Amino acid sequence: MAFSVITRSRSYDYNDAEDSVFGMRQDLTVQNLPTRRKRFVRRHSYSPYEVKVKTLAHHHQWKAPEFFCGAKLPPGRMVLHQSSLPRLPVPNLCQTLEKYLLTVRPLVDDTAFQKTKQLVEEFGKSGGLGESLQTKLKKRAQERQNWLDDWWLHTAYLDYREPVVIHVSPGIVCPPQNFSGKEEQLQFAAKLVAGVLDYKVQIDDQSVPIDKLRTQPLCMDQYYKLFLACRLPGDQRDQVVVYGPDCDDRPRHIVVVHNNQFFSLDVYDNNGKPLSQDLIHAQLQRVVCQSKDPGVPVGILTTENRDTWGRVYKALKKDKHNKRSLEAINKSMFMLCLDQETDRGADRWTSMGHQLMHGGGSQLNSGNRWFDKTLQFIVGTDGAVGIVYEHSPAEGPPIIALLDHMLDFCSQAPEVKGPSVQPMEPERLFFSLNDSVLEAIHNAKQNLDIQVQDLDLHLVMFKTYGKGFPKSQRLSPDSYIQMAMQLAFYKVYKVACATYESGSTRMFHLGRTDTIRSASVQSLKFCQAMQDSTVHPSEKVALLRRAVEGHKKYAQETVSGQGIDRHLLGLKLIAVEAGLDVPDLFVDSTYQQAVHFKLSTSQVPSKYDSLLCFGPVVPDGYGVCYNPAQDHLNFCISAFNSSWQTDTGKLAAALQQSLLEMQELLQTQAKL
Ligand code: COA
């Protein structure tokens, strides 16, 4: 199995899972080195991580001179723990099947449930199909660092053919900043770039504090990719390229886009130090001077259906100027999008949500983007700031960590004047556009505008209380908020729906997420009771507590690698890989209903009032993301206008009402 070892200066791919650095062989220690190497390692006081890498390298005679005689490796604090991270487990089959039945119970009627029960029994019987698939899956898990990671990358991201914009790539709205007008926009943007480069220094030095879940260190793999990755469109499947931090060809530039025109900007000086803010500012002024009028919005092609864009990309690349420009964009560390003015209307936050998610349409800023690039920082002319990111390399939390750092930097750092060097002129990235590409751009504009019109978005700042209240009631804030969402949905639709909440599995090496299924038998009982005036309030409180505790238990199991969704997906995919038919269990209408997530939700906390916004995952569903602060709660709710069944305004009102009712219920009962 292929894996990578990333040092500060180079990434290496190897093909042997057993000997991977992260699943370190115990017998490979410094003691096993010949005396000459032992002395070398001790003389350079390498960390235990580096020693392990070097020992492995020596053991296999890897042709990687840096391991032995290159520049000293950085301290490696950020990756020191990776070698001790456990591997993602394959849960017990019976446990998953039992939990599956429990989670679908509130979603289907008795007849459907009985049929599903039979299918589950058949699948899980001793010597049955489930058992043989489970054996295959366990074998895969023994052979790989993470039995799921490449499957998940393909299934969730790279094989998905809908546009990444709205459907995949989240936008993150930062609290409005205090600037307005073009000149202040550029001053803030320069500060932002300096703040992001400041964070990148930490990543390069591997000194980013290790994320933790309580005391448990989490996998930091995603951090590396933030500045090195780019998605490329393909035919039927995209790819993510990760440009290793190679010595010779290490990316040193960012791409700035203004008025739909792209410029490559080297942001390091001759000593490899990030440019100072004033120099970045001067460079941005040059970019703006050279792009006074809107250019042809080539970037809008990245909002297309992936197969369509893949075809155009292939054609575009045939021209050598285009190829060079595409490479400059793909290899850039990140993009900076200097947006034109946007008419905000009455609801400023929601308007910023639109700008961050899709740019506002072909007449506004949607062509002022390159949606395949992992990180795009957006700076408007009226204090609007945020990110839109391509999701395949990372989840929200590493991006938020970067964003929080950047906001800290912008609010604290004094403007530092650098030495008066004259950096290279920003390089304009030219595109040669023939008629067929121009037609593709025309089509992309139309298609994007339809999508923009279809997005129903509602950002809600619930100010009455924050996560401090459920804590004061000895309830998990996350589970409590999830129950408020269940109640809101029930108020509007009078039924429960399959609900997805992202649970992080970064406790495991290369872990990403699994599904916390928030709709349960207990949550449905709680919702029904809340809508029934004959139920005594004390009974409602008991049902609320039971529902919250049930959710918390499910969440804890999920983050501990005992979720059911990725396991079921694994059983399905291993059957397909073995050339078998998809098992009946997955063709069952109950399963289809169980994965039709009308509520797709995620908690993405930030120390600022930032709010992540993503689209629904089904045509008749909602996407809900929340950032719970101590004394208030921020929500972003999305849906599609084309669905007659959804209405974000209605769900937002029901959610706020639910939160108020739940508080009143708990407070009144506490007084009795
Ligand atoms: N009484 C009092 N306090 C409680 C409590 C209780 N019964 N239960 C929990 N708390 C406290 C916790 O100690 C914690 O305290 P802190 O704020 O001091 O850290 C706080 O409440 C929050 O805990 P909780 O609300 O239970 O949730 P969590 O922070 O553990 O998060 C998940 C739960 C599932 C959201 C989290 O584990 C996770 O997986 N997050 C990643 C999601 C993700 O990847 N999203 C990105 C998608 S792009």
Side-chain angles (χ1 to χ4, degrees), residues 373-393:
K373 193 66 214 155
T374 305
L375 291 175
Q376 297 193 80
F377 293 87
I378 289 140
V379 183
T381 52
D382 61 350
V385 174
I387 286 189
V388 57
Y389 74 93
E390 202 290 297
H391 209 326
S392 44

Side-chain angles (χ1 to χ4, degrees), residues 463-483:
K463 298 227 167 79
T464 311
Y465 61 87
K467 66 177 176 181
F469 174 68
K471 275 190 187 180
S472 72
Q473 300 293 315
R474 289 171 289 103
L475 292 167
S476 147
D478 185 67
S479 303
Y480 177 93
I481 294 166
Q482 284 289 330
M483 289 312 112

Side-chain angles (χ1 to χ4, degrees), residues 268-505:
Y268 291 96
D269 66 17
N270 290 340
N271 300 318
K273 290 244 153 44
L275 292 186
S276 60
Q277 254 177 66
D278 57 332
L279 285 179
I280 298 170
H281 178 233
Q283 293 290 71
L284 297 181
Q285 281 178 322
R286 284 163 138 184
V287 165
V288 168
C289 275
Q290 290 176 42
S291 53
K292 289 212 168 88
D293 299 313
V296 179
V298 188
I300 210 151
L301 289 167
T302 62
T303 68
E304 263 288 14
N305 166 287
R306 301 305 296 176
D307 284 337
T308 310
W309 169 217
R311 278 193 295 277
V312 181
Y313 184 85
K314 214 165 148 191
L316 206 58
K317 227 174 50 175
K318 285 189 182 141
D319 176 280
K320 71 172 194 276
H321 297 294
N322 292 344
K323 191 170 177 215
R324 202 177 126 72
S325 298
L326 289 169
E327 265 174 25
I329 293 174
N330 297 342
K331 282 190 178 173
S332 63
M333 295 182 291
F334 58 89
M335 307 253 316
L336 170 69
C337 310
L338 297 170
D339 274 8
Q340 57 167 293
E341 207 172 311
T342 300
D343 182 10
R344 293 282 168 224
D347 184 349
R348 186 164 192 220
W349 274 94
T350 299
S351 158
M352 289 200 300
H354 279 287
Q355 183 178 3
L356 270 300
M357 275 182 83
H358 52 65
S362 65
Q363 297 307 309
L364 283 169
N365 295 298
S366 300
N368 208 45
R369 303 279 187 276
W370 196 268
F371 285 97
D372 290 0
K373 193 66 214 155
T374 305
L375 291 175
Q376 297 193 80
F377 293 87
I378 289 140
V379 183
T381 52
D382 61 350
V385 174
I387 286 189
V388 57
Y389 74 93
E390 202 290 297
H391 209 326
S392 44
E395 260 73 56
I399 316 268
I400 290 285
L402 157 63
L403 206 63
D404 282 352
H405 181 93
M406 182 275 284
L407 289 171
D408 281 348
F409 186 96
C410 290
S411 63
Q412 290 159 13
E415 190 168 330
V416 183
K417 290 239 182 297
S420 55
V421 287
Q422 184 69 359
M424 277 191 342
E425 185 77 16
E427 182 194 344
R428 179 189 284 278
L429 302 177
F430 286 101
F431 283 99
S432 152
L433 306 170
N434 60 26
D435 286 351
S436 99
V437 176
L438 288 171
E439 192 187 334
I441 292 174
H442 174 76
N443 293 340
K445 280 160 91 172
Q446 286 187 338
N447 292 338
L448 188 265
D449 287 341
I450 293 169
Q451 291 196 70
V452 167
Q453 287 303 315
D454 197 21
L455 181 66
D456 173 14
L457 203 64
H458 209 107
L459 273 66
V460 181
M461 310 288 152
F462 178 78
K463 298 227 167 79
T464 311
Y465 61 87
K467 66 177 176 181
F469 174 68
K471 275 190 187 180
S472 72
Q473 300 293 315
R474 289 171 289 103
L475 292 167
S476 147
D478 185 67
S479 303
Y480 177 93
I481 294 166
Q482 284 289 330
M483 289 312 112
M485 286 193 270
Q486 288 299 308
L487 180 54
F489 190 89
Y490 189 83
K491 276 177 187 288
V492 179
Y493 297 98
K494 310 287 175 265
V495 286
C497 72
T499 306
Y500 181 113
E501 181 192 356
S502 307
S504 172
T505 51

Side-chain angles (χ1 to χ4, degrees), residues 66-78:
E66 286 87 332
F67 283 135
F68 299 104
C69 54
K72 187 176 173 306
L73 290 169
R77 187 151 66 88
M78 185 174 141

Side-chain angles (χ1 to χ4, degrees), residues 396-652:
I399 316 268
I400 290 285
L402 157 63
L403 206 63
D404 282 352
H405 181 93
M406 182 275 284
L407 289 171
D408 281 348
F409 186 96
C410 290
S411 63
Q412 290 159 13
E415 190 168 330
V416 183
K417 290 239 182 297
S420 55
V421 287
Q422 184 69 359
M424 277 191 342
E425 185 77 16
E427 182 194 344
R428 179 189 284 278
L429 302 177
F430 286 101
F431 283 99
S432 152
L433 306 170
N434 60 26
D435 286 351
S436 99
V437 176
L438 288 171
E439 192 187 334
I441 292 174
H442 174 76
N443 293 340
K445 280 160 91 172
Q446 286 187 338
N447 292 338
L448 188 265
D449 287 341
I450 293 169
Q451 291 196 70
V452 167
Q453 287 303 315
D454 197 21
L455 181 66
D456 173 14
L457 203 64
H458 209 107
L459 273 66
V460 181
M461 310 288 152
F462 178 78
K463 298 227 167 79
T464 311
Y465 61 87
K467 66 177 176 181
F469 174 68
K471 275 190 187 180
S472 72
Q473 300 293 315
R474 289 171 289 103
L475 292 167
S476 147
D478 185 67
S479 303
Y480 177 93
I481 294 166
Q482 284 289 330
M483 289 312 112
M485 286 193 270
Q486 288 299 308
L487 180 54
F489 190 89
Y490 189 83
K491 276 177 187 288
V492 179
Y493 297 98
K494 310 287 175 265
V495 286
C497 72
T499 306
Y500 181 113
E501 181 192 356
S502 307
S504 172
T505 51
R506 284 176 54 213
M507 206 186 265
F508 303 97
H509 184 225
L510 305 181
R512 294 202 61 168
T513 57
D514 201 338
T515 312
I516 301 167
R517 290 188 162 264
S518 300
S520 63
V521 172
Q522 295 103 316
S523 70
L524 182 58
K525 280 189 180 154
F526 158 66
C527 294
Q528 286 165 335
M530 287 297 279
Q531 294 296 88
D532 184 346
S533 56
T534 63
V535 179
H536 193 272
S538 62
E539 175 64 8
K540 290 181 182 172
V541 170
L543 288 169
L544 169 59
R545 287 193 176 277
R546 222 167 289 153
V548 166
E549 274 151 27
H551 178 273
K552 186 69 202 167
K553 180 168 174 286
Y554 197 102
Q556 275 165 344
E557 288 168 1
T558 305
V559 299
S560 311
Q562 301 299 320
I564 65 165
D565 281 75
R566 304 297 182 264
H567 185 199
L568 290 172
L569 177 74
L571 292 165
K572 186 170 139 190
L573 292 178
I574 204 99
V576 174
E577 267 198 13
L580 303 171
D581 287 341
V582 172
D584 292 345
L585 185 68
F586 303 112
V587 187
D588 181 25
S589 64
T590 297
Y591 183 75
Q592 301 307 322
Q593 206 166 324
V595 293
H596 189 85
F597 292 108
K598 287 197 179 177
L599 273 178
S600 168
T601 73
S602 186
Q603 179 189 151
V604 183
S606 155
K607 72 180 198 190
Y608 289 96
D609 259 333
S610 303
L611 188 48
L612 190 138
C613 314
F614 55 77
V617 295
V618 294
D620 53 349
Y622 295 95
V624 186
C625 193
Y626 50 101
N627 173 10
Q630 196 59 26
D631 59 359
H632 62 281
L633 306 169
N634 296 343
F635 294 91
C636 173
I637 307 178
S638 65
F640 295 118
N641 285 315
S642 50
S643 167
W644 59 268
Q645 294 169 10
T646 55
D647 179 341
T648 58
K650 223 179 197 177
L651 191 73

